[in-house]
């Protein structure tokens, strides 16, 4: 059976390059837990167009697989998990704060 | 060292001003990301997993102390206090903010540096033997010709939109420390039967998805012909190279698909046409460049103190045994400073460490430093009477690890800790292997062994030419590491052979340990290196060690 469609929209912040996620009210958050969970492919297509319109704040928008947890949406793939934390050799990036 | 002339200075300043305006237009929204991306890449600015990354060119790996100090200043002012030296002799900053990048480039221009053509489908930073001008076995310093190629290729109007990136490496001796057979063009300075100096030109080498060893296009190109010859090669590639598929776009594939004879014919015809157009100006320029690379005034002094210090201090002796190479001048040595402390990130130096190395170069090293493709820093000209003082200063800066050429002197790309293209992490694997072998206290017993780790198929970590190569992949959403064996990046370049199925992240370090301990049992004597043992025995016994269960099945 195909995996159900569960996605979040993510990008990098234009100025810092930090990973960010698109929220339900059309803003960008540095925390994936605030992201809008998209479970409908057609709706996701519209939302990504809306997200892309924000060119002066973001770069490189894409849809990433996600899962829903008690704490909100969370990454599925390890690459996306790294984006929520930072590198493993120093405590830099989001984990630094 | 080469010093920018007015033309270079004006060119770099103009580029900084242009990029500053482009960044402003991006920030105010007049440029979209799609429009801006090629502009930032032309200036070495990437967008990675967690932040931007600025890749600064260190032409042919050569720096003076002012430049190294400026790199330290950039690390402190715009980044997190460190920089990452790469396998193409460059330095990368992992955390710059977009708004600061024009200032970084302006600061670099103050010391004759830039980030131009460190990305994009252009001719990239020209690399060279990191022992250039110092090596005992050298015919001629390769850096003047590398500088000539840099000037020729920088902003070359015909070569700004090549089918794919294009990498050139130059060496001045038979011993290959610049991996020239794994470059788009590899140049080796040679002497012909008449005793004249010229160039052996090798084309179509490369690692990545389709690793290939370069083929000799000409055994001898005269000095005067080199630039038109290279221009002809890149022009032929520019016409024939595939633009329909980026995985088949490098010159190695062009050469493979068209055959060397067809390439030779086209090249020779074009070369004849353009040779006269160069008119000798390039040779005039080369003569000026050669002048600026004149060897330093080597001093003549006793080395008695050095010999006595070696006898008295075992730690110093161990470091000199591992980290020094023969210098062409009497009483001198080449010092390799290891940027591979056990457990640290290969190639990462803090700003404080950069300053210590810059000071040592200024005080003891004729003001020269080199970045090696193996991600270490070299003091190329050091008198032996100064080695103890250098060692003492390095030790205080945590830079005195005695492991050059040993198992913990690992090349590793940034991998998925930073790189947007990576499929798995490299750095933690390198850290764990180095830490483990330090615990075992075995690396000196094991002897020369090159481990090279890439976090994706593009092979920035040169895994194909590691004696043990490790390639990190994504297998169904889990990090998985493939081992290749028997690779070699020197004048006897060999692409390693894949050993078998990959290992999980928790299995890869034990697998490497098994392999290395197994080698100790297999070698004929302590002087037989891992690579020699592999060549003598073939892959089979090493595969049995890596996959004991399979070996047991086969034996049953």
């Amino acid at each position: 059976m195909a995996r159900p469609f569960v996605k979040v929209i993510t990008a990098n912040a234009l100025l810092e390059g930090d990973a960010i996620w698109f929220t339900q009210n059309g803003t960008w958050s540095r925390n994936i837990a605030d992201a809008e969970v998209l479970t409908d492919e057609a709706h996701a297509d519209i939302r990504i167009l809306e997200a892309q319109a924000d060119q002066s704040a973001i770069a490189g928008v894409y849809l990433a697989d996600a899962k829903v947890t008690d704490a909100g949406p969370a990454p599925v793939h390890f690459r996306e998990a790294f984006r929520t934390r930072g590198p493993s050799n120093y405590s830099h990036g989001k984990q630094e704060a | 060292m080469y010093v920018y002339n007015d033309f270079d200075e004006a060119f770099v300043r103009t580029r900084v001003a242009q990029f500053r305006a482009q960044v402003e237009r991006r920030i105010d929204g007049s440029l979209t990301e799609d429009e801006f991306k090629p502009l930032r890449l032309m200036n070495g600015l990437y967008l990675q997993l967690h932040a931007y990354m600025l890749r600064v060119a260190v032409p042919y790996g050569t720096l003076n102390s002012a430049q190294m100090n400026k790199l330290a200043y950039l690390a402190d002012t715009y980044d997190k206090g460190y920089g990452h030296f790469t396998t193409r002799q460059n330095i990368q900053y992992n955390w710059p903010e977009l708004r600061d990048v024009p200032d970084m480039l302006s600061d670099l221009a103050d010391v004759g540096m830039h980030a131009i053509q460190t990305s994009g489908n252009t001719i990239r930073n020209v690399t060279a033997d990191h022992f250039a001008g110092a090596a005992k076995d050298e015919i001629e310093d390769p850096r003047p010709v590398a500088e000539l190629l840099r000037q020729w290729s920088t902003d070359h109007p015909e070569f700004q939109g090549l089918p794919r990136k294009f990498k050139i490496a130059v060496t001045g001796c038979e011993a290959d420390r610049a991996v020239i057979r794994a470059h788009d063009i590899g140049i080796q300075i040679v002497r012909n039967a008449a005793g004249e100096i010229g160039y052996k030109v090798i084309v179509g080498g490369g690692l990545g998805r389709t690793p290939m060893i370069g083929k000799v296009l000409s055994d001898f190109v005269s000095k005067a012909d080199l630039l038109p010859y290279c221009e002809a090669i890149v022009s032929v590639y520019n016409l024939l190279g595939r633009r329909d598929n980026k995985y088949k776009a490098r010159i190695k594939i062009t050469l493979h698909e068209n055959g060397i004879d067809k390439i030779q014919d086209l090249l020779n015809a074009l070369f004849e046409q353009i040779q006269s157009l160069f008119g000798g100006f390039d040779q005039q320029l080369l003569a000026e460049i050669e002048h600026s690379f004149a060897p330093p005034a080597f001093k003549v002094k006793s080395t008695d103190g050095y010999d006595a210090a070696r006898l008295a201090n075992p730690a110093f002796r161990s470091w000199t045994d591992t980290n020094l190479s023969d210098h062409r001048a009497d009483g001198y040595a080449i010092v390799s400073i290891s940027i591979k402390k056990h457990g640290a990130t290969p190639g990462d130096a803090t700003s404080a460490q950069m300053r210590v190395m810059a000071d040592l170069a200024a005080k003891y090293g004729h003001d020269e430093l080199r970045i090696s493709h193996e991600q270490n820093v070299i003091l190329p000209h050091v008198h032996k009477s100064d080695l103890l003082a250098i060692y003492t200063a390095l030790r205080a800066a945590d830079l005195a690890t005695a492991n050059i050429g040993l198992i913990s002197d690992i090349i590793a790309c940034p991998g998925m800790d930073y790189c947007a293209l990576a499929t798995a992490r490299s750095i933690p694997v390198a850290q764990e292997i180095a830490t483990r072998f330090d615990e075992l206290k075995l690396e000196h017993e094991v002897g020369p062994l090159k481990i090279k780790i890439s976090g994706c198929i593009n092979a920035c970590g040169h895994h194909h030419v590691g004696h043990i190569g490790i390639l990190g992949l994504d297998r169904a959403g889990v990090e998985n590491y493939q081992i290749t064996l028997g690779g070699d990046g020197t004048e006897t370049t060999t692409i390693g052979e894949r050993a078998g199925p990959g290992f999980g992240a928790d299995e890869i370090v034990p697998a490497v340990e098994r392999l290395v301990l197994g080698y100790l049992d297999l070698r004929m004597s302590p002087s037989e290196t891992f690579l020699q043992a592999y060549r003598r025995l073939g892959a089979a016994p090493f595969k049995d060690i890596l996959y004991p269960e399979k070996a047991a099945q086969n034996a049953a």
Side-chain angles (χ1 to χ4, degrees):
Chain A
M1 208 181 86
R3 205 173 5 191
F5 187 94
V6 184
K7 307 265 187 192
V8 291
I9 292 173
T10 185
N12 292 80
L14 178 67
L15 296 180
E16 299 87 6
D18 195 11
I20 48 175
W21 290 267
F22 199 51
T23 69
Q24 198 153 13
N25 42 23
T27 59
W28 292 91
S29 169
R30 312 256 157 180
N31 186 349
I32 189 174
D34 299 331
E36 177 183 11
V37 179
L38 302 163
T39 51
D40 179 273
E41 217 168 328
H43 179 59
D45 286 346
I46 295 168
R47 290 299 279 163
I48 204 155
L49 286 176
E50 288 165 359
Q52 269 162 353
D54 213 357
Q55 279 291 329
S56 58
I58 55 135
V61 183
Y62 62 95
L63 280 171
D65 286 331
K67 61 187 176 195
V68 179
T69 70
D70 293 344
V76 174
H77 192 275
F78 60 90
R79 182 182 194 271
E80 292 305 308
F82 296 158
R83 292 180 75 243
T84 67
R85 291 200 297 266
S88 49
N89 59 334
Y90 303 113
S91 112
H92 289 158
K94 292 186 191 297
Q95 63 198 336
E96 192 172 17
Chain B
M1 269 184 62
Y2 181 76
V3 178
Y4 277 9
N5 60 24
D6 292 347
F7 175 86
D8 299 316
E9 165 80 16
F11 171 73
V12 171
R13 295 285 175 197
T14 307
R15 181 60 86 79
V16 172
Q18 285 168 349
F19 189 58
R20 192 180 293 282
Q22 288 156 358
V23 167
E24 278 165 19
R25 281 152 61 212
R26 176 70 187 96
I27 291 173
D28 74 19
S30 348
L31 289 175
T32 65
E33 188 56 24
D34 285 348
E35 289 162 337
F36 180 63
K37 189 176 174 184
L39 301 172
R40 68 169 158 78
L41 290 178
M42 281 174 74
N43 294 287
L45 187 64
Y46 286 74
L47 184 53
Q48 298 284 42
L49 279 188
H50 314 292
Y52 287 95
M53 179 273 280
L54 181 67
R55 181 183 293 155
V56 177
V58 180
Y60 32 88
T62 292
L63 291 170
N64 60 29
S65 61
Q67 291 171 325
M68 185 63 112
N69 276 320
K70 187 63 85 174
L71 296 179
Y73 171 82
L74 258 65
D76 282 337
T77 311
Y78 307 107
D79 206 274
K80 294 187 188 287
Y82 76 100
H84 176 74
F85 292 111
T86 77
T87 55
R88 294 215 75 256
Q89 301 182 306
N90 293 319
I91 184 169
Q92 295 181 174
Y93 293 100
N94 287 323
W95 302 96
E97 294 192 8
L98 180 59
R99 225 183 264 285
D100 288 336
V101 176
D103 288 340
M104 294 173 84
L105 296 177
S106 174
D107 290 344
L108 286 167
D110 292 344
V111 290
M113 294 181 77
H114 61 69
I116 295 167
Q117 289 180 213
T118 59
S119 176
N121 294 334
T122 57
I123 299 174
R124 301 288 188 90
N125 184 35
V126 178
T127 56
D129 182 357
H130 44 268
F131 292 170
K136 207 168 187 173
D137 51 353
E138 187 174 87
I139 293 177
E140 195 176 73
D141 189 335
R143 290 172 303 157
V145 79
E147 172 60 27
L148 183 69
L149 287 161
R150 185 192 73 82
Q151 295 193 15
W152 160 78
S153 60
T154 301
D155 215 30
H156 191 301
E158 211 179 306
F159 304 146
Q160 292 303 300
L162 294 171
R164 198 76 179 87
K165 59 186 164 185
F166 200 93
K167 300 177 182 176
I168 302 177
V170 196
T171 180
C173 44
E174 182 60 34
D176 183 6
R177 288 175 288 261
V179 214
I180 61 170
R181 285 159 190 82
H183 279 76
D184 296 284
I185 295 180
I187 297 171
Q188 180 188 341
I189 298 177
V190 291
R191 218 184 275 278
N192 67 8
E196 296 157 338
I197 287 178
Y199 311 96
K200 183 198 262 189
V201 178
I202 296 165
V203 168
L207 302 176
R209 187 173 299 262
T210 319
M212 287 188 184
I213 295 170
K215 296 181 175 65
V216 176
L217 206 54
S218 171
D219 281 310
F220 191 86
V221 174
S222 73
K223 275 199 154 182
D225 285 345
L226 184 72
L227 218 47
Y229 195 75
C230 286
E231 178 142 317
I233 294 171
V234 186
S235 295
V236 168
Y237 164 61
N238 204 9
L239 284 172
L240 286 187
R242 288 179 57 173
R243 287 178 160 83
D244 62 315
N245 180 342
K246 80 176 210 177
Y247 301 123
K248 296 189 188 299
R250 295 290 288 272
I251 194 173
K252 59 189 173 188
I253 307 287
T254 315
L255 189 68
H256 188 72
E257 289 185 345
N258 290 276
I260 196 159
D261 293 340
K262 181 176 172 187
I263 301 280
Q264 288 274 20
D265 290 348
L266 287 167
L267 168 67
N268 291 337
L270 187 62
F271 174 69
E272 272 177 35
Q273 264 179 43
I274 64 175
Q275 185 188 19
S276 61
L277 299 177
F278 278 72
F281 174 70
D282 57 310
Q283 290 307 294
Q284 219 177 303
L285 198 58
L286 180 61
E288 283 170 34
I289 296 169
E290 278 172 344
H291 188 68
S292 63
F293 284 101
F298 295 121
K299 59 187 177 187
V300 179
K301 209 177 152 187
S302 163
T303 58
D304 292 352
Y306 163 69
D307 296 326
R310 256 177 62 88
L311 286 174
N313 182 339
F316 176 57
R317 186 165 64 240
S318 167
W319 178 78
T320 60
D321 283 342
T322 331
N323 292 34
L324 300 186
S325 305
D326 288 343
H327 196 284
R328 56 187 249 214
D330 281 344
Y332 271 74
I334 302 170
V335 175
S336 293
I337 303 171
S338 170
I339 313 295
K340 312 285 180 66
K341 190 190 171 193
H342 302 104
T345 304
D348 276 12
T350 65
S351 56
Q353 290 176 324
M354 291 181 211
R355 289 194 180 93
V356 167
M357 293 187 281
D359 289 350
L360 291 173
K363 198 165 171 192
Y364 302 112
H366 298 277
D367 206 29
E368 272 205 42
L369 299 125
R370 308 283 169 73
I371 309 306
S372 77
H373 83 269
E374 293 183 317
Q375 300 178 287
N376 291 312
V377 177
I378 315 292
L379 297 173
H381 308 301
V382 172
H383 193 269
K384 286 180 181 169
S385 60
D386 294 323
L387 283 169
L388 184 62
I390 289 176
Y391 171 74
T392 308
L394 289 175
R395 212 175 134 131
D398 227 2
L399 284 168
T401 311
N403 66 344
I404 296 295
L406 301 180
I407 196 167
S408 59
D409 184 9
I410 300 171
I411 287 187
C413 72
M416 206 188 269
D417 284 306
Y418 298 90
C419 179
L421 300 174
T423 43
R425 288 173 295 176
S426 322
I427 292 169
V429 177
Q431 289 174 307
E432 284 167 35
I433 291 172
T435 304
R436 180 63 187 145
F437 278 89
D438 192 38
E439 283 163 8
L440 294 171
K441 294 291 168 223
L442 263 182
E443 68 177 337
H444 289 272
E445 162 89 24
V446 170
L449 177 52
K450 292 187 190 291
I451 297 186
K452 301 181 196 276
I453 310 175
S454 305
C456 81
I457 192 81
N458 295 313
C460 294
H462 295 188
H463 65 276
H464 296 111
V465 293
H467 303 165
I468 299 174
I470 300 174
L471 166 62
L473 294 168
D474 172 353
R475 282 276 173 269
V478 181
E479 286 169 294
N480 189 272
Y481 296 90
Q482 260 177 19
I483 289 182
T484 52
L485 294 170
D488 173 9
T490 70
E491 61 280 10
T492 44
T493 304
T494 311
I495 303 295
E497 187 188 338
R498 203 181 132 191
F503 295 90
D506 54 348
E507 297 167 342
I508 182 65
V509 180
V512 170
E513 182 176 333
R514 217 156 52 233
L515 192 57
V516 174
L517 296 180
Y519 145 72
L520 292 179
D521 292 336
L522 289 170
R523 69 184 179 186
M524 282 197 298
S525 73
S527 66
E528 188 182 44
T529 65
F530 181 91
L531 189 60
Q532 286 164 346
Y534 181 83
R535 285 180 172 164
R536 176 173 60 85
L537 294 165
F542 293 91
K543 287 185 185 176
D544 287 350
I545 295 164
L546 271 179
Y547 305 100
E549 285 166 18
K550 194 157 175 247
Q553 267 172 25
N554 290 345

